[in-house]
Amino acid sequence: MGAVRMRVQTADKTSQQSTSSRRWLQWRKEIELLSDLTYYVLTTLSGYQTLGEEYVSIIQVDPSKRRIPSRMRRTALIFFHTFVPYLLDKVLICIENELEAEAPPTSRTWRPLSHVRLWMQRAVGMLSESQRKALVPLVFALQQGITLLYRLHVALFYITGGFYHIGKRAAGVSYLRVGNVSGDDPRISNSYRLLGALSLLQLGITLTLQFNNLRQTQRARHEWKQHRNLIPSHQVSQSSSRSSRCILCLEERRNTSSTPCGHLFCWECITEWCNTKTECPLCREKFQPHRLVFLRNYN
């Protein structure tokens, strides 16, 4: 009886840890948004320097380079730097989920941006099946395009020395050095330009590889359409009926990814999990996040 009781207690603890981890993954981005918003309200919006700005002796200025940004401009900076990336990420993931969902979810639990999700469900419900399939790669391309835009913007910053964040460029807020101004060392500027050129080269290689992967995906999809009729229908139904749910979000897996131990999860779910625990949620095997494998064309 003692051994049975111990096993039950261990199972309860494991279930509680899994539940708390799912809650953390569900609300992690909202907590990060709230912390960033609190930090910038107490510093930028209040007219104080951030820790990084104080460390390197720089202050924010408006496009005239002579005045401190107005409160309206600083508010716009905080909005573009914190809210816009959050909203873009949430809206695109919501659209992708609704486009790939075979049936509307029955859960009534409140989630972040739940009203937006209901509106997305109604809008996607008006589309045909072919239109949904056509929009899925477009949403994925938009997600990848936003990531590449960030990388391009950072590379241009290294070359020109302008705006590091897109939010500062949108709000027109730049920096001015204060204190002992003796001019920049040309060697430092040249090293940053070299870093920017290398970043652009890496970005070009990434685009080339992604374009090549897209061509291979399209070719594999075309070959599958040609040979799918050769597979017996009962085998297709058996293979399509197997479980494909992610245990972290309890929904159909999106962008299926594998851990080194062979367990399958959503790419977004397992990467967010690895931000807090570098172990498999199922078997608890330790692994480094770079060992995750994104399974392309996995159904």
Side-chain angles (χ1 to χ4, degrees):
M1 292 296 293
V4 174
R5 187 180 296 109
M6 185 177 298
R7 291 178 182 177
V8 172
Q9 292 176 352
T10 304
D12 291 340
K13 290 181 180 179
T14 303
S15 177
Q16 292 175 359
Q17 291 177 356
S18 178
T19 302
S20 60
S21 299
R22 284 199 300 269
R23 289 179 179 175
W24 162 250
L25 289 174
Q26 180 180 350
W27 293 97
R28 184 180 67 85
K29 292 183 179 180
E30 284 70 25
I31 295 174
E32 291 179 353
L33 174 65
L34 181 61
S35 61
D36 290 341
L37 183 62
T38 303
Y39 177 73
Y40 287 115
V41 166
L42 294 176
T43 55
T44 301
L45 190 61
S46 301
Y48 298 103
Q49 294 172 289
T50 63
L51 294 178
E53 293 168 356
E54 185 178 359
Y55 181 77
V56 297
S57 299
I58 57 177
I59 58 173
Q60 295 179 0
V61 293
D62 63 5
S64 68
K65 305 288 186 179
R66 296 181 179 180
R67 294 188 298 271
I68 300 296
S70 63
R71 181 175 292 271
M72 182 66 67
R73 191 179 294 273
R74 283 176 284 167
T75 303
L77 167 61
I78 296 174
F79 175 77
F80 288 123
H81 188 60
T82 58
F83 277 104
V84 171
Y86 168 80
L87 292 176
L88 278 176
D89 180 68
K90 284 292 183 181
V91 169
L92 290 177
I93 289 179
C94 183
I95 294 176
E96 185 179 9
N97 288 336
E98 296 304 325
L99 290 174
E100 294 181 348
E102 298 180 356
T106 58
S107 176
R108 298 292 181 180
T109 58
W110 190 89
R111 291 185 177 183
L113 297 180
S114 57
H115 297 288
V116 176
R117 185 172 186 177
L118 292 176
W119 181 83
M120 293 290 179
Q121 290 177 5
R122 291 193 294 267
V124 172
M126 301 173 62
L127 301 176
S128 62
E129 187 67 23
S130 59
Q131 291 174 334
R132 291 187 183 185
K133 293 182 178 180
L135 287 177
V136 169
L138 292 179
V139 174
F140 178 76
L142 184 58
Q143 291 174 330
Q144 297 298 315
I146 293 175
T147 302
L148 295 176
L149 178 62
Y150 287 145
R151 294 174 58 181
L152 175 62
H153 191 269
V154 172
L156 293 178
F157 164 76
Y158 289 138
I159 296 176
T160 63
F163 302 93
Y164 182 73
H165 295 107
I166 296 180
K168 289 185 173 64
R169 183 181 295 274
V173 176
S174 57
Y175 285 116
L176 183 66
R177 181 176 297 177
V178 296
N180 185 16
V181 182
S182 58
D184 293 332
D185 190 345
R187 293 175 297 179
I188 298 178
S189 301
N190 292 334
S191 63
Y192 276 115
R193 292 191 182 96
L194 177 60
L195 181 59
L198 292 176
S199 299
L200 288 177
L201 177 62
Q202 183 187 23
L203 183 60
I205 295 174
T206 301
L207 287 173
T208 302
L209 293 176
Q210 289 189 355
F211 180 73
N212 185 39
N213 291 335
L214 179 61
R215 292 180 56 186
Q216 292 179 356
T217 301
Q218 292 177 347
R219 183 167 54 199
R221 186 176 301 168
H222 180 68
E223 292 177 355
W224 165 250
K225 289 181 179 179
Q226 289 180 342
H227 297 285
R228 63 185 301 179
N229 294 329
L230 300 178
I231 303 176
S233 58
H234 68 278
Q235 292 184 8
V236 175
S237 61
Q238 289 176 0
S239 61
S240 60
S241 62
R242 61 184 177 180
S243 176
S244 60
R245 290 186 178 274
C246 173
I247 68 162
L248 294 177
C249 63
L250 300 180
E251 297 178 353
E252 293 294 324
R253 285 196 303 268
R254 296 183 308 106
N255 303 325
T256 303
S257 304
S258 173
T259 57
C261 53
H263 293 120
L264 303 179
F265 308 92
C266 299
W267 172 258
E268 292 80 5
C269 295
I270 189 61
T271 51
E272 291 182 356
W273 172 277
C274 290
N275 289 332
T276 55
K277 295 182 180 180
T278 55
E279 62 182 19
C280 176
L282 281 176
C283 64
R284 305 298 178 183
E285 178 180 340
K286 300 289 184 179
F287 66 90
Q288 294 300 320
H290 69 268
R291 297 187 62 194
L292 290 172
V293 178
F294 181 83
L295 303 180
R296 295 184 180 274
N297 307 319
Y298 180 87
N299 294 321

